[in-house]
Amino acid sequence: MIPVKGYAAQSPETDLAPWDFERREVGPHDVQFDIQYCGVCHSDLHQIKNDWFPGIFPMVPGHEIVGKVVAVGDHVKKFKVGDLAGTGCLVDSCRVCENCKQDLEQYCLNGASQTYNGLEQDHKTPTYGGYSNSIVVHEDFVLHVSEKLDLAAVAPLLCAGITTYSPLRHWKVGKGHKLAVLGLGGLGHMGVKFGVAFGAEVTVLSTSPKKEEDAKKLGAHKFVVTKDPEQVAAVAGYFDFILDTVSAEHDYNMYLGMLKTDGTHICVGAPATPSAISAFSLIPGRKSLVGSMIGGIAETQEMLDFCAEHDIVSDIELIDIKDITPSYERMEKGDVRYRFVIDMATL
Ligand code: NAP
Ligand code: ZN
Ligand code: ZN
């Protein structure tokens, strides 16, 4: 076994703290890479707090992982020692189900292996994430990362990037569309960048008036403060798509009212509590309320290549791992510009 240093929550009630653990030896198809940076996703906070379901503890969060390959198994073809590498929210899947066969490993019908707070494909061994100094992953779930981009700012692409890229591609959002990005945080700011890159008119819907200048710098064409009823009324029936990245309870009915006939509200934000939705928010105007989860491995590579080609990275605040708890507190208040990334050299 390979000894690894990390940060873990021992229970939903405890703060993250240093924790030593072990990873498997590098198998014939495995890649081991030393982690240089790991992004901090709101899902990390949801999961250590048991917001969604009872978690597996100790929990080492982190699924926006980038670093340098230090070992490869005998049969590995895609990577060599010294290459840059990345891993997102998945480390394995069954590979044989209908969804896996269509490059939709995130929807694996036999249960994909999440990078942390999940189980390997033996359905027994817990997985531990990227708040750690090294990781061993099957080569099929390791992504190539461009040498051209700032590596720390690439890390959030592995979750925030693909989670916004994938639905915008799936619903073919682009030129001629009016896209609203709801919530300007880690996912939201990537949604703005991709929406603009795909040619849509992008409006940020935010509870934070002070983010307006940033939204415009990110490329957004318009900004609506959702606490201001006049501004909300002005965009009634306006959008083709809403990309909803909100992490906390909110009124979907209000936002559905901003859609045109045949408009689509795409949920990627995953609040802990269910919401009441009136059928009458959907019926007049034949509106759709849909969801999307991260993206498959091939699409994640496509997104990373698109970002390298178009010079797209995340806007980040690099943090010391010792500051993870205050950083979570700031994230909970919507005060991140726009993704915390842990410098793993501080571990
Ligand atoms: P984040 O950086 O904390 O951003 C969330 C943003 O939502 C905040 O910055 C804030 O933006 C807005 N917000 C927060 N509370 C709100 C409220 N009560 N009402 C309205 N707006 C509110 O979080 P993130 O990392 O982007 O993640 C966002 C959500 O997506 C989380 O629930 C996360 O678990 C989920 N997620 C889902 C997937 C997936 O595959 N579907 C993948 C990754 C993450 P403003 O200040 O602009 O209002
Ligand atoms: Zn995430
Ligand atoms: Zn599968």
Side-chain angles (χ1 to χ4, degrees):
M1 298 293 273
I2 299 170
V4 176
K5 285 201 313 184
Y7 254 53
Q10 298 295 327
S11 79
E13 288 78 38
T14 54
D15 286 345
L16 270 85
W19 186 59
D20 292 342
F21 61 104
E22 291 179 324
R23 298 207 187 265
R24 66 168 183 266
E25 292 291 346
V26 177
H29 292 281
D30 285 340
V31 171
Q32 182 189 1
F33 63 98
D34 281 352
I35 300 170
Q36 284 166 290
Y37 302 102
C38 183
V40 178
C41 181
H42 207 114
S43 305
D44 300 348
L45 186 55
H46 284 307
Q47 292 185 82
I48 59 166
K49 285 168 52 189
N50 273 355
D51 266 2
W52 296 333
F53 52 83
I56 303 167
F57 290 89
M59 191 187 297
V60 178
H63 56 208
E64 295 183 337
I65 308 168
V66 290
K68 207 162 247 186
V69 175
V70 292
V72 294
D74 292 344
H75 296 297
V76 170
K77 293 192 189 77
K78 275 171 58 188
F79 290 90
K80 57 181 192 317
V81 171
D83 285 352
L84 292 180
T87 285
C89 304
L90 305 172
V91 288
D92 213 345
S93 72
C94 86
R95 295 138 193 270
V96 295
C97 75
E98 210 178 306
N99 288 347
C100 282
K101 280 191 192 149
Q102 293 181 77
D103 293 326
L104 296 170
E105 300 88 353
Q106 74 274 35
Y107 305 124
C108 174
L109 298 172
N110 295 307
S113 299
Q114 306 292 324
T115 301
Y116 70 88
N117 195 22
L119 299 173
E120 297 285 1
Q121 286 300 297
D122 62 8
H123 299 288
K124 284 198 295 259
T125 312
T127 54
Y128 299 114
Y131 296 10
S132 58
N133 62 351
S134 204
I135 192 163
V136 178
V137 182
H138 190 289
E139 67 168 326
D140 291 350
F141 286 77
V142 184
L143 287 308
H144 285 287
V145 169
S146 167
E147 302 267 354
K148 269 183 17 195
L149 301 174
D150 171 17
L151 190 61
V154 164
L157 301 179
L158 275 309
C159 175
I162 185 60
T163 302
T164 49
Y165 181 94
S166 180
L168 295 181
R169 283 301 198 210
H170 180 76
W171 278 282
K172 300 187 171 52
V173 178
K175 238 184 162 55
H177 288 138
K178 292 187 166 69
L179 166 70
V181 174
L182 173 51
L184 195 62
L187 267 57
H189 92 291
M190 290 312 307
V192 172
K193 291 189 186 207
F194 288 131
V196 170
F198 299 165
E201 181 200 282
V202 179
T203 301
V204 169
L205 306 175
S206 175
T207 58
S208 312
K210 54 186 189 304
K211 291 182 182 172
E212 177 162 7
E213 208 182 309
D214 289 346
K216 299 277 167 70
K217 277 196 210 134
L218 290 163
H221 306 95
K222 297 182 180 182
F223 188 87
V224 170
V225 179
T226 52
K227 286 175 176 164
D228 177 343
E230 267 179 41
Q231 292 192 37
V232 170
V235 289
Y238 186 76
F239 300 109
D240 298 285
F241 295 95
I242 296 174
L243 182 64
D244 179 346
T245 74
V246 173
S247 52
E249 203 175 328
H250 56 293
D251 181 11
Y252 292 85
N253 302 290
M254 175 175 117
Y255 299 103
L256 287 164
M258 297 179 180
L259 286 175
K260 283 184 190 167
T261 301
D262 282 330
T264 305
H265 182 126
I266 307 167
C267 300
V268 290
T273 44
S275 290
I277 292 160
S278 166
F280 291 101
S281 299
L282 298 167
I283 292 171
R286 197 165 53 185
K287 294 173 184 174
S288 303
L289 180 63
V290 300
S292 180
M293 191 168 81
I294 48 171
I297 298 300
E299 194 176 39
T300 304
Q301 190 62 63
E302 176 193 305
M303 178 273 312
L304 287 168
D305 297 346
F306 179 89
C307 288
E309 198 180 313
H310 294 85
D311 217 11
I312 293 174
V313 288
S314 184
D315 289 20
I316 64 161
E317 289 187 46
L318 201 59
I319 62 164
D320 188 311
I321 197 160
K322 289 165 207 73
D323 295 329
I324 189 65
T325 300
S327 302
Y328 281 153
E329 284 161 9
R330 279 187 52 198
M331 184 158 72
E332 203 142 41
K333 286 189 233 141
D335 175 27
V336 193
R337 306 294 170 100
Y338 278 87
R339 195 59 141 189
F340 291 122
V341 171
I342 303 165
D343 180 354
M344 221 45 78
T346 62
L347 182 65

